[in-house]
Amino acid sequence: MSLGSRLRTLLGPRLARRVGRAYRAIFVDLECQARSLSSVLPTGAHVLDVGGGDGEPLNYLLDLRTDLRVSSIDPSDAIGQWIEVRHADRVTCLAGMTLEAYLGSGCPDPDAVLIADVLHHILPAQREQFMASLGKLIERRPATRIVVKDVEPGTLRSLLGYWSDRYVTGDRQVSLVSRAELLRLFESLPGKLSHQEAPLYAEDSPNYVMVFYR
Ligand SMILES: C[S@@+](CC[C@H](N)C(=O)[O-])C[C@H]1O[C@@H](n2cnc3c(N)ncnc32)[C@H](O)[C@@H]1O
């Protein structure tokens, strides 16, 4: 069991959430993040939140954008436990679900895919397969927007986040994805995608948000 899981068990759900919020604020300003995400998501979008985790950042986004609906998927069994009750009717949580499985499930294709702090948890050797699934979706539904939130390496704050992922979350294989590396990954997708960067990096570096679209 990771240090983070042990602490959550020890503190209990309410206190763990309060401590979790304060701890997360060291690494990212979730209000700022939500504003950047909001700026690149289409009106009325159905958003597929890949690797949604506890769902805490979604609360900020859904407060800003009452027009969005979200399907949140995660290969893990724990998902969406911190999504506020006021948003529950706009979020569908699918535990134990990968992107590939979602796309083959017959569930509706999303208008936008959100990949927030997930790519750096996927082993570099497995990123190609993940990107291939995104490529399949883009081919099937070219209007889909792909929104990536991640962390630019090379600063003290990103190093602290990296250590936190390794030693608190317990993912020893984490490897940060720079914006240059992200562009390289998206170049492997079929057809030429355009991209745009949201203001997050300027406002809350080293966090960044990039959006890719046909
Ligand atoms: C740091 S959490 C981010 C959670 C959430 N997106 C957020 O911004 O708070 C990383 C999440 O990625 C998920 N994950 C790991 N590998 C994945 C993969 N190959 N595909 C989708 N999700 C994955 C993990 O289970 C975990 O919930």
Side-chain angles (χ1 to χ4, degrees):
M1 194 190 259
S2 70
L3 177 59
S5 306
R6 261 186 254 151
L7 282 173
R8 271 195 297 277
T9 309
L10 202 72
L11 295 172
R14 280 173 66 121
L15 192 54
R17 187 169 180 190
R18 286 177 64 174
V19 172
R21 269 193 188 141
Y23 183 67
R24 200 178 316 222
I26 298 171
F27 307 105
V28 63
D29 177 339
L30 289 181
E31 280 182 17
C32 211
Q33 174 176 315
R35 282 196 300 276
S36 264
L37 295 176
S38 172
S39 73
V40 294
L41 286 169
T43 305
H46 167 217
V47 179
L48 179 64
D49 181 21
V50 178
D54 60 36
E56 178 76 348
L58 271 188
N59 292 319
Y60 293 79
L61 178 63
L62 292 173
D63 278 337
L64 275 186
R65 293 286 302 273
T66 53
D67 57 307
L68 299 178
R69 280 178 308 114
V70 177
S71 297
S72 192
I73 61 172
D74 202 293
S76 132
D77 287 339
I79 178 170
Q81 62 273 35
W82 287 353
I83 292 172
E84 298 282 359
V85 175
R86 66 179 178 279
H87 299 312
D89 61 339
R90 288 196 285 144
V91 184
T92 305
C93 290
L94 302 167
M97 176 80 87
T98 62
L99 173 60
E100 204 172 9
Y102 180 91
L103 296 178
S105 68
C107 290
D109 282 346
D111 303 302
V113 177
L114 172 60
I115 304 162
D117 288 326
V118 170
L119 270 180
H120 63 255
H121 288 285
I122 301 178
L123 286 175
Q126 290 167 6
R127 284 179 195 155
E128 213 172 283
Q129 198 194 339
F130 185 83
M131 295 307 295
S133 298
L134 291 176
K136 243 187 259 172
L137 174 61
I138 287 273
E139 287 288 276
R140 203 157 81 184
R141 193 179 179 289
T144 309
R145 296 196 133 214
I146 300 176
V147 180
V148 179
K149 187 273 157 187
D150 223 288
V151 179
E152 182 76 29
T155 63
L156 177 60
R157 201 175 182 210
S158 52
L159 186 62
L160 289 176
Y162 170 80
W163 283 338
S164 169
D165 279 336
R166 267 183 79 94
Y167 302 111
V168 180
T169 309
D171 180 356
R172 296 299 166 107
Q173 292 173 321
V174 67
S175 83
L176 294 182
V177 180
S178 68
R179 287 166 296 169
E181 174 60 15
L182 188 68
L183 293 181
R184 270 196 294 277
L185 284 171
F186 272 86
E187 272 165 15
S188 70
L189 295 193
K192 180 137 177 61
L193 295 188
S194 303
H195 69 272
Q196 190 190 321
E197 183 164 1
L200 186 62
Y201 187 76
E203 294 169 357
D204 192 35
S205 150
N207 298 288
Y208 67 80
V209 166
M210 306 242 325
V211 57
F212 295 84
Y213 50 95
R214 273 242 174 109

